[in-house]
Amino acid sequence: MSFIITMLMIFFIAAFFSIVFNTKFDTVAALPFFLIIITTYIFGLLGDLRYGVFAIIVFSIFCFVFMSCYCLRHIKTLKASLSNIVTAGFYAFVAFSIIMLVGHLGRPLENWDEFAHWGATVKGMYYNNTFSTAENSAILAKHEAYPPGTALLHYFFTKCSGTYHESNMIRSMCVFAFSLFLPVFSYTTLKKENLLKSISFFFVI
């Protein structure tokens, strides 16, 4: 359930960018992930990553209200107004998120790198709400030469769940990677023949 709520926040932010920049959802789907990384990084520099999570939550609520007002304002032409949001890439993103939700249900970290580096880094950040280089962080999470990067994204997903679930770390990594490929779908429509071409091209890549 927590993963679904987190993905809804990402959707509202992406929809906000789609409306503001008048572009397809496919081309801005990755922006919320980068926004999460940058925001939590800034608040991490200030000493507490949790404020970065709160800031993203507040912004996603603002985006939801903005989108609701936008829909009410264009109620008579709603289908046309949302044409940039409800795209082939949008459906692909939703389908992939559902697959990740079910496919990684209860999955723990398994690989050596997950235990030796980024898994331990995120765990230290989750419990201490600071960068892994802070004095009170876990010993295993000390990798001073490594910038946090995607670890902040994993932190956000696990923090939003309320409890530490390693499966959400894996899901966040997968949906972020998938969002980077979504612009492939921006060159197609929801017509069956064009959609099949985009899906085939995506898997070739």
Side-chain angles (χ1 to χ4, degrees):
M1 187 67 181
S2 59
F3 176 74
I4 297 175
I5 294 175
T6 307
M7 291 306 299
L8 282 175
M9 288 192 287
I10 288 174
F11 164 72
F12 292 138
I13 296 174
F16 170 79
F17 286 137
S18 176
I19 294 172
V20 171
F21 297 122
N22 192 27
T23 186
K24 286 188 175 183
F25 175 89
D26 317 1
T27 60
V28 296
L31 290 184
F33 295 96
F34 288 108
L35 180 65
I36 290 170
I37 293 173
I38 294 172
T39 304
T40 50
Y41 180 75
I42 292 173
F43 282 96
L45 293 176
L46 298 176
D48 198 326
L49 294 169
R50 288 174 296 184
Y51 291 110
V53 176
F54 297 151
I56 293 297
I57 293 174
V58 171
F59 182 63
S60 68
I61 294 173
F62 164 78
C63 292
F64 169 73
V65 174
F66 176 88
M67 185 178 175
S68 299
C69 294
Y70 179 84
C71 291
L72 290 174
R73 184 179 178 183
H74 299 83
I75 192 68
K76 294 183 179 180
T77 58
L78 189 60
K79 185 176 181 180
S81 300
L82 297 181
S83 60
N84 277 341
I85 299 176
V86 184
T87 62
F90 166 76
Y91 284 115
F93 190 62
V94 171
F96 185 80
S97 299
I98 294 173
I99 293 173
M100 291 301 100
L101 173 63
V102 178
H104 293 299
L105 188 64
R107 179 185 170 184
L109 300 179
E110 298 173 347
N111 300 320
W112 168 250
D113 184 59
E114 295 170 349
F115 289 111
H117 179 211
W118 67 266
T121 297
V122 176
K123 190 171 185 177
M125 292 165 63
Y126 177 87
Y127 286 108
N128 296 295
N129 298 301
T130 57
F131 292 138
S132 60
T133 53
E135 293 181 0
N136 62 337
S137 291
I139 296 175
L140 287 176
K142 285 188 176 295
H143 293 84
E144 288 83 358
Y146 287 73
T150 53
L152 292 169
L153 182 63
H154 306 326
Y155 167 82
F156 178 82
F157 271 75
T158 53
K159 206 66 180 177
C160 285
S161 68
T163 55
Y164 180 76
H165 291 297
E166 294 177 347
S167 58
N168 280 338
M169 294 166 55
I170 300 171
R171 288 169 180 151
S172 65
M173 178 173 58
C174 293
V175 293
F176 172 54
F178 187 78
S179 71
L180 297 175
F181 287 97
L182 280 186
V184 170
F185 291 93
S186 65
Y187 298 100
T188 189
T189 64
L190 290 174
K191 292 182 179 179
K192 184 177 180 181
E193 59 274 14
N194 291 331
L195 186 58
L196 289 175
K197 289 180 182 179
S198 289
I199 294 175
S200 300
F201 181 64
F202 170 78
F203 281 108
V204 168
I205 292 178

